[in-house]
Amino acid sequence: MHVPNKEDLLDDKARMASVKAAVSSWSTMNNNIAVFESVPSSYLKVADAVIAAVHPNVHKVFAEVADSEEGKAVSVRGQDTHANSGTENACRTFVAGAVQMLDHIVSGATTNAIVMGRPPGHHAFQKPSGFCIINNAVAAAHYARLLKFQRIAIVDFDLHFGDGTCAHTKGNPDFLYISVHAQGISPVTDQPIYPSTPAAVMQVKGPRGSGVLNLVLEPDFGDDEFFSPPMRSKIAARLKAFEPDLIIVSAGFDAYTLDPCRQTTVAEEGGVSPEAFEDVTRFLVGQAQRLCNGRLLSLLEGGYHTNVLSPGASGLCRCLYRHLQGLCAQPGRDE
């Protein structure tokens, strides 16, 4: 298992207990969906090739921690990015899940799907960074290109800017990266919100709508500002100009009001409600239906409000439940 527990790390095994609680609760109420808890070995082999293409040197990281004591977290980049002997398999399984779901989408077995695993990915450059080892969204996009999806949009609503995803895609005219995230000085820590990349620097306008669209939120944002009508108009216009064949969603839930990673306002002030995540998901599903026959793949990024004693009561569980609702709902009036 990838880094089961470490007192000063937010990305621990309790997150997956919250994920399982959300899936269990939601699938009980919706018996017309398919839930896969494991990945066939054939997909793991494909994932190995995809990972090698996107991160050609990551095998060195895995080799570095291969002999680590079971459960012991080893720093592979600064104080916030750790791995252990279980990390390679966790990364392979996450990417393999994305590969499997893309095969289901391209075959017509489903129009959209979600893969929930850890570690997250959107801060991973060629090297690990910010909790992330493999950039799962970019790996999924790479495989999608092999399936002949020519134009791929990645929409990221994690609290933090996906600097790794941006770096991987910004120069490619077949990609559009859209990020809605907080920027500025945190009133809690009095430090720049990670990763503190200047938004103006990372705006890229490529041909036919490709490039990078950054939509920045103030640290004290809440439901009203998160994917506000003006933001939705900009996103819809850019997606329409780009004409994607597939939308990949980097679904981060660390903007949730009580998430310990938020640290952008005093606890219980600001932040995003579970209901708002459902609303945003409906909007994105609507865009996919309008532009690419509904083809959308969601991948879990951040979200760290867990509850060891009662995973179903955690913020991550509640936000994921609403996200699942949005993925399977018909688009509403604003979408």
Side-chain angles (χ1 to χ4, degrees):
M1 177 183 292
H2 166 69
V3 190
N5 197 14
K6 192 174 183 290
E7 288 184 1
D8 57 346
L9 291 183
L10 292 174
D11 180 31
D12 66 11
K13 65 180 181 180
R15 296 186 70 216
M16 294 315 297
S18 295
V19 166
K20 290 178 180 179
V23 172
S24 175
S25 176
W26 190 79
S27 60
T28 299
M29 302 294 292
N30 299 269
N31 57 13
N32 61 338
I33 60 142
V35 177
F36 301 89
E37 295 190 21
S38 60
V39 181
S41 59
S42 58
Y43 285 109
L44 290 170
K45 293 178 181 178
V46 177
D48 289 338
V50 170
I51 290 171
V54 175
H55 297 277
N57 295 313
V58 76
H59 64 280
K60 297 178 182 178
V61 175
F62 295 144
E64 181 183 337
V65 300
D67 297 326
S68 65
E69 182 182 331
E70 185 176 359
K72 183 179 179 181
V74 177
S75 173
V76 293
R77 182 78 182 269
Q79 297 301 309
D80 59 5
T81 309
H82 293 72
N84 68 351
S85 56
T87 298
E88 180 176 11
N89 187 59
C91 291
R92 294 174 70 226
T93 302
F94 199 150
V95 174
V99 166
Q100 182 181 14
M101 291 303 100
L102 284 168
D103 276 358
H104 282 295
I105 289 172
V106 79
S107 73
T110 185
T111 53
N112 67 43
I114 181 170
V115 181
M116 294 173 280
R118 52 183 291 264
H122 72 156
H123 293 307
F125 292 75
Q126 283 296 322
K127 295 182 178 179
S129 180
F131 297 177
C132 305
I133 309 295
I134 299 298
N135 196 305
N136 303 307
V138 173
H142 176 83
Y143 183 69
R145 293 297 302 279
L146 298 179
L147 295 176
K148 308 304 181 184
F149 289 121
Q150 295 298 316
R151 301 174 65 76
I152 300 167
I154 301 175
V155 182
D156 187 338
F157 60 71
D158 190 273
L159 173 67
H160 306 96
F161 174 54
D163 48 347
T165 303
C166 180
H168 279 281
T169 62
K170 67 177 182 178
N172 191 323
D174 294 327
F175 285 93
L176 167 63
Y177 176 59
I178 298 174
S179 179
V180 178
H181 61 274
Q183 189 97 3
I185 302 298
S186 165
V188 176
T189 64
D190 200 32
Q191 297 294 320
I193 296 170
Y194 185 87
S196 68
T197 307
V201 173
M202 304 311 290
Q203 302 286 358
V204 179
K205 290 187 177 181
R208 291 184 57 195
S210 64
V212 180
L213 174 63
N214 268 318
L215 298 170
V216 175
L217 297 160
E218 295 295 326
D220 61 349
F221 74 95
D223 284 358
D224 290 343
E225 294 79 24
F226 187 59
F227 279 75
S228 64
M231 281 191 174
R232 293 187 189 212
S233 294
K234 291 179 181 179
I235 292 169
R238 190 67 174 264
L239 285 170
K240 183 178 180 181
F242 182 64
E243 297 182 319
D245 299 312
L246 170 74
I247 295 175
I248 295 174
V249 177
S250 281
F253 301 97
D254 41 3
Y256 169 64
T257 298
L258 298 180
D259 194 286
C261 198
R262 191 164 64 89
Q263 294 187 330
T264 50
T265 55
V266 178
E268 299 188 27
E269 294 182 9
V272 177
S273 68
E275 294 78 10
F277 283 115
E278 178 179 346
D279 186 56
V280 165
T281 304
R282 286 173 178 262
F283 166 71
L284 295 175
V285 167
Q287 294 301 308
Q289 291 184 338
R290 185 171 293 112
L291 298 169
C292 52
N293 295 318
R295 292 189 293 265
L296 182 149
L297 176 66
S298 179
L299 304 172
L300 179 63
E301 295 285 357
Y304 307 97
H305 186 275
T306 60
N307 187 319
V308 175
L309 297 179
S310 181
S314 68
L316 178 55
C317 176
R318 294 173 60 214
C319 292
L320 271 173
Y321 182 92
R322 290 290 189 161
H323 183 55
L324 289 166
Q325 288 281 85
L327 285 173
C328 292
Q330 292 298 316
R333 56 185 174 78
D334 341 306
E335 291 117 36

Short mmCIF file of all heavy atoms in Angstrom, two decimals, residues 219-267:
data_model
loop_
_atom_site.label_atom_id
_atom_site.label_comp_id
_atom_site.label_asym_id
_atom_site.label_seq_id
_atom_site.Cartn_x
_atom_site.Cartn_y
_atom_site.Cartn_z
N PRO A 219 -8.39 33.67 -1.84
CA PRO A 219 -8.29 32.67 -0.77
C PRO A 219 -9.59 32.45 0.01
O PRO A 219 -9.82 31.35 0.52
CB PRO A 219 -7.20 33.25 0.14
CG PRO A 219 -6.33 34.05 -0.78
CD PRO A 219 -7.29 34.65 -1.77
N ASP A 220 -10.44 33.45 0.12
CA ASP A 220 -11.66 33.31 0.93
C ASP A 220 -12.87 32.91 0.09
O ASP A 220 -14.01 33.12 0.50
CB ASP A 220 -11.95 34.61 1.67
CG ASP A 220 -12.18 35.79 0.73
OD1 ASP A 220 -11.90 35.64 -0.48
OD2 ASP A 220 -12.62 36.86 1.21
N PHE A 221 -12.66 32.27 -1.06
CA PHE A 221 -13.78 31.94 -1.94
C PHE A 221 -14.71 30.90 -1.31
O PHE A 221 -14.33 30.13 -0.44
CB PHE A 221 -13.29 31.44 -3.30
CG PHE A 221 -12.74 30.02 -3.27
CD1 PHE A 221 -13.55 28.96 -3.60
CD2 PHE A 221 -11.42 29.78 -2.94
CE1 PHE A 221 -13.06 27.66 -3.59
CE2 PHE A 221 -10.91 28.50 -2.92
CZ PHE A 221 -11.73 27.43 -3.24
N GLY A 222 -15.95 30.92 -1.79
CA GLY A 222 -16.95 29.94 -1.36
C GLY A 222 -17.76 29.45 -2.54
O GLY A 222 -17.33 29.58 -3.70
N ASP A 223 -18.93 28.90 -2.27
CA ASP A 223 -19.76 28.32 -3.33
C ASP A 223 -20.09 29.33 -4.43
O ASP A 223 -20.12 28.98 -5.62
CB ASP A 223 -21.08 27.80 -2.74
CG ASP A 223 -20.90 26.49 -2.00
OD1 ASP A 223 -19.78 25.96 -1.97
OD2 ASP A 223 -21.91 26.00 -1.44
N ASP A 224 -20.35 30.59 -4.05
CA ASP A 224 -20.77 31.58 -5.04
C ASP A 224 -19.66 31.88 -6.05
O ASP A 224 -19.94 32.19 -7.22
CB ASP A 224 -21.21 32.87 -4.35
CG ASP A 224 -22.51 32.72 -3.59
OD1 ASP A 224 -23.24 31.74 -3.86
OD2 ASP A 224 -22.80 33.57 -2.73
N GLU A 225 -18.42 31.82 -5.60
CA GLU A 225 -17.29 32.15 -6.49
C GLU A 225 -16.79 30.91 -7.26
O GLU A 225 -16.24 31.04 -8.36
CB GLU A 225 -16.13 32.73 -5.68
CG GLU A 225 -16.41 34.08 -5.05
CD GLU A 225 -17.25 33.99 -3.77
OE1 GLU A 225 -17.23 32.91 -3.12
OE2 GLU A 225 -17.93 34.97 -3.44
N PHE A 226 -16.96 29.73 -6.68
CA PHE A 226 -16.46 28.49 -7.28
C PHE A 226 -17.27 28.17 -8.54
O PHE A 226 -18.46 27.89 -8.47
CB PHE A 226 -16.57 27.37 -6.25
CG PHE A 226 -15.94 26.06 -6.66
CD1 PHE A 226 -14.59 25.99 -6.95
CD2 PHE A 226 -16.69 24.90 -6.72
CE1 PHE A 226 -13.99 24.78 -7.30
CE2 PHE A 226 -16.11 23.69 -7.06
CZ PHE A 226 -14.76 23.63 -7.35
N PHE A 227 -16.65 28.25 -9.70
CA PHE A 227 -17.33 28.07 -10.99
C PHE A 227 -18.53 29.01 -11.08
O PHE A 227 -19.65 28.60 -11.38
CB PHE A 227 -17.78 26.61 -11.18
CG PHE A 227 -16.67 25.70 -11.66
CD1 PHE A 227 -15.68 25.28 -10.81
CD2 PHE A 227 -16.64 25.27 -12.98
CE1 PHE A 227 -14.66 24.44 -11.25
CE2 PHE A 227 -15.63 24.43 -13.43
CZ PHE A 227 -14.63 24.01 -12.56
N SER A 228 -18.27 30.28 -10.81
CA SER A 228 -19.30 31.32 -10.92
C SER A 228 -19.79 31.41 -12.36
O SER A 228 -19.13 30.92 -13.29
CB SER A 228 -18.73 32.66 -10.49
OG SER A 228 -17.70 33.05 -11.39
N PRO A 229 -20.94 32.03 -12.60
CA PRO A 229 -21.43 32.17 -13.98
C PRO A 229 -20.41 32.76 -14.95
O PRO A 229 -20.27 32.24 -16.07
CB PRO A 229 -22.67 33.05 -13.82
CG PRO A 229 -23.19 32.69 -12.46
CD PRO A 229 -21.96 32.50 -11.61
N PRO A 230 -19.67 33.82 -14.58
CA PRO A 230 -18.66 34.31 -15.53
C PRO A 230 -17.58 33.27 -15.82
O PRO A 230 -17.11 33.16 -16.97
CB PRO A 230 -18.07 35.54 -14.82
CG PRO A 230 -19.15 35.98 -13.89
CD PRO A 230 -19.81 34.74 -13.42
N MET A 231 -17.17 32.51 -14.80
CA MET A 231 -16.17 31.46 -15.02
C MET A 231 -16.72 30.39 -15.95
O MET A 231 -16.03 29.92 -16.86
CB MET A 231 -15.75 30.83 -13.69
CG MET A 231 -14.75 31.64 -12.90
SD MET A 231 -14.08 30.67 -11.53
CE MET A 231 -12.83 31.82 -10.92
N ARG A 232 -17.96 30.01 -15.72
CA ARG A 232 -18.57 28.98 -16.57
C ARG A 232 -18.64 29.44 -18.02
O ARG A 232 -18.43 28.65 -18.95
CB ARG A 232 -19.96 28.61 -16.05
CG ARG A 232 -19.92 27.92 -14.71
CD ARG A 232 -21.29 27.42 -14.29
NE ARG A 232 -21.25 26.95 -12.91
CZ ARG A 232 -21.99 25.97 -12.43
NH1 ARG A 232 -22.85 25.35 -13.21
NH2 ARG A 232 -21.90 25.62 -11.16
N SER A 233 -18.94 30.70 -18.21
CA SER A 233 -19.01 31.24 -19.58
C SER A 233 -17.64 31.15 -20.26
O SER A 233 -17.55 30.77 -21.44
CB SER A 233 -19.49 32.68 -19.56
OG SER A 233 -20.82 32.77 -19.11
N LYS A 234 -16.58 31.48 -19.52
CA LYS A 234 -15.23 31.41 -20.09
C LYS A 234 -14.84 29.97 -20.39
O LYS A 234 -14.24 29.68 -21.44
CB LYS A 234 -14.23 32.03 -19.12
CG LYS A 234 -14.36 33.54 -18.97
CD LYS A 234 -13.35 34.07 -17.97
CE LYS A 234 -13.49 35.58 -17.80
NZ LYS A 234 -12.54 36.12 -16.79
N ILE A 235 -15.18 29.05 -19.48
CA ILE A 235 -14.85 27.64 -19.69
C ILE A 235 -15.60 27.09 -20.88
O ILE A 235 -15.03 26.43 -21.76
CB ILE A 235 -15.18 26.83 -18.41
CG1 ILE A 235 -14.23 27.22 -17.28
CG2 ILE A 235 -15.09 25.32 -18.70
CD1 ILE A 235 -14.64 26.67 -15.92
N ALA A 236 -16.90 27.38 -20.95
CA ALA A 236 -17.72 26.87 -22.06
C ALA A 236 -17.23 27.40 -23.40
O ALA A 236 -17.16 26.66 -24.39
CB ALA A 236 -19.19 27.25 -21.83
N ALA A 237 -16.87 28.70 -23.42
CA ALA A 237 -16.40 29.29 -24.68
C ALA A 237 -15.07 28.67 -25.12
O ALA A 237 -14.87 28.39 -26.31
CB ALA A 237 -16.25 30.80 -24.51
N ARG A 238 -14.16 28.45 -24.15
CA ARG A 238 -12.86 27.89 -24.51
C ARG A 238 -13.00 26.43 -24.96
O ARG A 238 -12.35 26.00 -25.92
CB ARG A 238 -11.90 28.01 -23.32
CG ARG A 238 -10.45 27.69 -23.63
CD ARG A 238 -9.81 28.72 -24.58
NE ARG A 238 -8.38 28.46 -24.73
CZ ARG A 238 -7.43 29.07 -24.03
NH1 ARG A 238 -7.75 30.00 -23.14
NH2 ARG A 238 -6.16 28.77 -24.23
N LEU A 239 -13.84 25.68 -24.27
CA LEU A 239 -14.07 24.30 -24.67
C LEU A 239 -14.71 24.24 -26.06
O LEU A 239 -14.33 23.40 -26.89
CB LEU A 239 -14.97 23.59 -23.66
CG LEU A 239 -14.32 23.19 -22.33
CD1 LEU A 239 -15.39 22.72 -21.34
CD2 LEU A 239 -13.28 22.09 -22.53
N LYS A 240 -15.64 25.12 -26.32
CA LYS A 240 -16.30 25.13 -27.63
C LYS A 240 -15.30 25.44 -28.73
O LYS A 240 -15.32 24.83 -29.81
CB LYS A 240 -17.44 26.15 -27.63
CG LYS A 240 -18.21 26.18 -28.93
CD LYS A 240 -19.37 27.18 -28.86
CE LYS A 240 -20.15 27.21 -30.18
NZ LYS A 240 -21.27 28.20 -30.12
N ALA A 241 -14.41 26.40 -28.47
CA ALA A 241 -13.39 26.75 -29.46
C ALA A 241 -12.42 25.58 -29.70
O ALA A 241 -11.95 25.37 -30.82
CB ALA A 241 -12.62 27.98 -29.00
N PHE A 242 -12.15 24.84 -28.63
CA PHE A 242 -11.18 23.74 -28.71
C PHE A 242 -11.78 22.49 -29.36
O PHE A 242 -11.07 21.73 -30.02
CB PHE A 242 -10.68 23.41 -27.31
CG PHE A 242 -9.65 22.32 -27.26
CD1 PHE A 242 -8.42 22.48 -27.85
CD2 PHE A 242 -9.93 21.12 -26.61
CE1 PHE A 242 -7.46 21.46 -27.81
CE2 PHE A 242 -9.00 20.11 -26.55
CZ PHE A 242 -7.76 20.28 -27.16
N GLU A 243 -13.06 22.25 -29.16
CA GLU A 243 -13.75 21.08 -29.71
C GLU A 243 -13.08 19.77 -29.30
O GLU A 243 -12.55 19.02 -30.13
CB GLU A 243 -13.84 21.15 -31.24
CG GLU A 243 -14.64 22.33 -31.75
CD GLU A 243 -14.75 22.34 -33.27
OE1 GLU A 243 -13.73 22.03 -33.94
OE2 GLU A 243 -15.83 22.64 -33.78
N PRO A 244 -13.10 19.44 -28.01
CA PRO A 244 -12.42 18.23 -27.55
C PRO A 244 -13.11 16.94 -27.99
O PRO A 244 -14.33 16.91 -28.19
CB PRO A 244 -12.48 18.37 -26.02
CG PRO A 244 -13.74 19.14 -25.78
CD PRO A 244 -13.80 20.13 -26.92
N ASP A 245 -12.33 15.88 -28.13
CA ASP A 245 -12.87 14.54 -28.35
C ASP A 245 -13.14 13.84 -27.01
O ASP A 245 -13.86 12.85 -26.97
CB ASP A 245 -11.89 13.69 -29.15
CG ASP A 245 -11.62 14.28 -30.52
OD1 ASP A 245 -12.59 14.64 -31.21
OD2 ASP A 245 -10.43 14.39 -30.90
N LEU A 246 -12.51 14.35 -25.95
CA LEU A 246 -12.61 13.75 -24.62
C LEU A 246 -12.31 14.82 -23.59
O LEU A 246 -11.42 15.66 -23.80
CB LEU A 246 -11.59 12.61 -24.48
CG LEU A 246 -11.38 12.01 -23.09
CD1 LEU A 246 -12.59 11.14 -22.69
CD2 LEU A 246 -10.10 11.17 -23.06
N ILE A 247 -13.04 14.79 -22.48
CA ILE A 247 -12.73 15.66 -21.34
C ILE A 247 -12.26 14.80 -20.18
O ILE A 247 -12.94 13.84 -19.79
CB ILE A 247 -13.95 16.50 -20.92
CG1 ILE A 247 -14.34 17.48 -22.04
CG2 ILE A 247 -13.66 17.27 -19.63
CD1 ILE A 247 -15.61 18.28 -21.76
N ILE A 248 -11.10 15.12 -19.65
CA ILE A 248 -10.59 14.47 -18.44
C ILE A 248 -10.72 15.48 -17.30
O ILE A 248 -10.33 16.64 -17.45
CB ILE A 248 -9.11 14.05 -18.61
CG1 ILE A 248 -9.00 12.96 -19.69
CG2 ILE A 248 -8.54 13.55 -17.28
CD1 ILE A 248 -7.57 12.58 -20.03
N VAL A 249 -11.29 15.05 -16.19
CA VAL A 249 -11.48 15.93 -15.04
C VAL A 249 -10.51 15.53 -13.94
O VAL A 249 -10.48 14.38 -13.50
CB VAL A 249 -12.93 15.85 -14.50
CG1 VAL A 249 -13.08 16.71 -13.25
CG2 VAL A 249 -13.91 16.30 -15.57
N SER A 250 -9.68 16.47 -13.51
CA SER A 250 -8.86 16.29 -12.31
C SER A 250 -9.71 16.76 -11.14
O SER A 250 -9.84 17.96 -10.90
CB SER A 250 -7.57 17.10 -12.42
OG SER A 250 -6.62 16.43 -13.22
N ALA A 251 -10.30 15.79 -10.45
CA ALA A 251 -11.31 16.09 -9.43
C ALA A 251 -10.68 16.13 -8.04
O ALA A 251 -10.46 15.10 -7.41
CB ALA A 251 -12.43 15.04 -9.48
N GLY A 252 -10.39 17.34 -7.59
CA GLY A 252 -9.84 17.52 -6.25
C GLY A 252 -10.89 18.11 -5.33
O GLY A 252 -11.61 19.03 -5.73
N PHE A 253 -10.97 17.60 -4.12
CA PHE A 253 -12.01 18.04 -3.18
C PHE A 253 -11.42 18.72 -1.94
O PHE A 253 -12.06 18.78 -0.90
CB PHE A 253 -12.88 16.84 -2.80
CG PHE A 253 -13.54 16.20 -3.98
CD1 PHE A 253 -12.98 15.08 -4.58
CD2 PHE A 253 -14.68 16.76 -4.55
CE1 PHE A 253 -13.57 14.51 -5.71
CE2 PHE A 253 -15.27 16.20 -5.67
CZ PHE A 253 -14.71 15.07 -6.25
N ASP A 254 -10.21 19.24 -2.08
CA ASP A 254 -9.58 19.91 -0.94
C ASP A 254 -10.02 21.36 -0.80
O ASP A 254 -9.59 22.06 0.12
CB ASP A 254 -8.05 19.83 -1.01
CG ASP A 254 -7.48 20.03 -2.39
OD1 ASP A 254 -8.26 20.29 -3.33
OD2 ASP A 254 -6.25 19.92 -2.55
N ALA A 255 -10.91 21.82 -1.67
CA ALA A 255 -11.54 23.14 -1.46
C ALA A 255 -12.74 23.03 -0.52
O ALA A 255 -13.35 24.05 -0.17
CB ALA A 255 -11.99 23.73 -2.79
N TYR A 256 -13.09 21.81 -0.12
CA TYR A 256 -14.19 21.60 0.82
C TYR A 256 -13.94 22.41 2.10
O TYR A 256 -12.81 22.52 2.58
CB TYR A 256 -14.30 20.11 1.15
CG TYR A 256 -15.21 19.77 2.29
CD1 TYR A 256 -16.58 20.02 2.22
CD2 TYR A 256 -14.71 19.19 3.45
CE1 TYR A 256 -17.42 19.70 3.28
CE2 TYR A 256 -15.54 18.86 4.51
CZ TYR A 256 -16.89 19.12 4.42
OH TYR A 256 -17.72 18.81 5.48
N THR A 257 -15.00 22.95 2.65
CA THR A 257 -14.92 23.90 3.77
C THR A 257 -14.00 23.45 4.89
O THR A 257 -13.18 24.23 5.38
CB THR A 257 -16.34 24.15 4.34
OG1 THR A 257 -17.14 24.74 3.31
CG2 THR A 257 -16.28 25.08 5.52
N LEU A 258 -14.09 22.20 5.32
CA LEU A 258 -13.33 21.75 6.49
C LEU A 258 -12.08 20.95 6.12
O LEU A 258 -11.48 20.32 6.98
CB LEU A 258 -14.23 20.90 7.40
CG LEU A 258 -15.45 21.62 7.99
CD1 LEU A 258 -16.25 20.66 8.86
CD2 LEU A 258 -15.01 22.83 8.81
N ASP A 259 -11.69 20.96 4.85
CA ASP A 259 -10.52 20.18 4.46
C ASP A 259 -9.25 20.74 5.12
O ASP A 259 -9.00 21.95 5.07
CB ASP A 259 -10.35 20.20 2.94
CG ASP A 259 -9.37 19.14 2.47
OD1 ASP A 259 -8.16 19.34 2.67
OD2 ASP A 259 -9.81 18.12 1.92
N PRO A 260 -8.44 19.89 5.73
CA PRO A 260 -7.23 20.38 6.42
C PRO A 260 -6.19 20.95 5.47
O PRO A 260 -5.30 21.69 5.90
CB PRO A 260 -6.70 19.12 7.12
CG PRO A 260 -7.24 17.99 6.32
CD PRO A 260 -8.59 18.44 5.87
N CYS A 261 -6.29 20.63 4.20
CA CYS A 261 -5.32 21.16 3.24
C CYS A 261 -5.69 22.55 2.76
O CYS A 261 -4.88 23.25 2.17
CB CYS A 261 -5.23 20.21 2.04
SG CYS A 261 -3.76 20.41 1.03
N ARG A 262 -6.91 22.97 3.03
CA ARG A 262 -7.38 24.25 2.48
C ARG A 262 -6.57 25.42 3.03
O ARG A 262 -5.95 26.14 2.29
CB ARG A 262 -8.88 24.43 2.77
CG ARG A 262 -9.48 25.58 2.03
CD ARG A 262 -10.99 25.49 2.03
NE ARG A 262 -11.56 25.61 3.35
CZ ARG A 262 -11.91 26.74 3.92
NH1 ARG A 262 -11.72 27.87 3.28
NH2 ARG A 262 -12.43 26.78 5.13
N GLN A 263 -6.61 25.62 4.32
CA GLN A 263 -5.80 26.66 4.97
C GLN A 263 -5.83 28.00 4.24
O GLN A 263 -4.85 28.74 4.20
CB GLN A 263 -4.35 26.19 5.11
CG GLN A 263 -4.19 25.02 6.07
CD GLN A 263 -2.74 24.68 6.32
OE1 GLN A 263 -1.88 24.87 5.47
NE2 GLN A 263 -2.46 24.18 7.50
N THR A 264 -6.97 28.27 3.60
CA THR A 264 -7.06 29.55 2.90
C THR A 264 -7.89 30.55 3.68
O THR A 264 -7.79 31.75 3.45
CB THR A 264 -7.67 29.35 1.51
OG1 THR A 264 -8.86 28.57 1.61
CG2 THR A 264 -6.70 28.63 0.60
N THR A 265 -8.74 30.07 4.58
CA THR A 265 -9.48 30.95 5.47
C THR A 265 -9.62 30.23 6.81
O THR A 265 -9.31 29.06 6.94
CB THR A 265 -10.89 31.28 4.95
OG1 THR A 265 -11.59 30.06 4.70
CG2 THR A 265 -10.83 32.09 3.66
N VAL A 266 -10.09 30.95 7.80
CA VAL A 266 -10.31 30.34 9.10
C VAL A 266 -11.32 29.21 8.95
O VAL A 266 -12.25 29.29 8.15
CB VAL A 266 -10.83 31.40 10.10
CG1 VAL A 266 -11.11 30.76 11.45
CG2 VAL A 266 -9.81 32.52 10.23
N ALA A 267 -11.13 28.12 9.70
CA ALA A 267 -12.00 26.96 9.61
C ALA A 267 -13.47 27.37 9.69
O ALA A 267 -13.85 28.24 10.45
CB ALA A 267 -11.69 25.96 10.73
#
